[in-house]
Amino acid sequence: MTMEQAGKAHEHTPQSGEGLRVRGLSVRHGQHTVLHDITAGPFPPGRLCAVLGPNGSGKSTLLRAMGGLVPACGQVSLHAQALDGLDLRTRARCAAPCPRPCPNRCA
């Protein structure tokens, strides 16, 4: 099986709001704006996505902000549920793979 065939085997049509989305994300380190008004997604479940850019362009900061590891302004949502303001443990529970059915609301 080729990589392309393997990718197509897991494809599905995402529903509205499905996946990870970022809207208006901004991050500052002191007086320096590292990210300004970033909007991206949806990144559908089961799909491999890449963040590309030159050194120092904010790729790691974007991923840290999406994960709630650095303070940021804007909205990060997963399956149309805002993750902003959730503590790290709850946020991780929402994003972690779960072998059994997960509750509709992350708590």
Side-chain angles (χ1 to χ4, degrees):
M1 179 180 286
T2 67
M3 292 291 283
E4 185 176 337
Q5 290 168 330
K8 287 183 179 180
H10 296 289
E11 277 186 20
H12 72 286
T13 305
Q15 298 175 2
S16 176
E18 190 174 338
L20 184 66
R21 288 182 184 264
V22 176
R23 290 189 187 97
L25 197 68
S26 296
V27 176
R28 294 181 58 86
H29 291 303
Q31 297 297 321
H32 183 68
T33 299
V34 180
L35 299 175
H36 176 71
D37 197 26
I38 302 295
T39 297
F43 301 102
R47 300 296 296 277
L48 179 64
C49 299
V51 178
L52 305 174
N55 291 344
S57 62
K59 301 176 299 292
S60 295
T61 301
L62 173 62
L63 296 175
R64 287 183 186 114
M66 290 170 68
L69 301 175
V70 296
C73 296
Q75 184 182 46
V76 178
S77 60
L78 180 63
H79 307 308
Q81 178 182 346
L83 298 180
D84 317 0
L86 296 178
D87 62 69
L88 289 178
R89 185 177 186 162
T90 304
R91 188 178 263 213
R93 224 180 272 144
C94 290
C98 187
R100 56 184 159 33
C102 292
N104 289 339
R105 188 174 190 293
C106 299

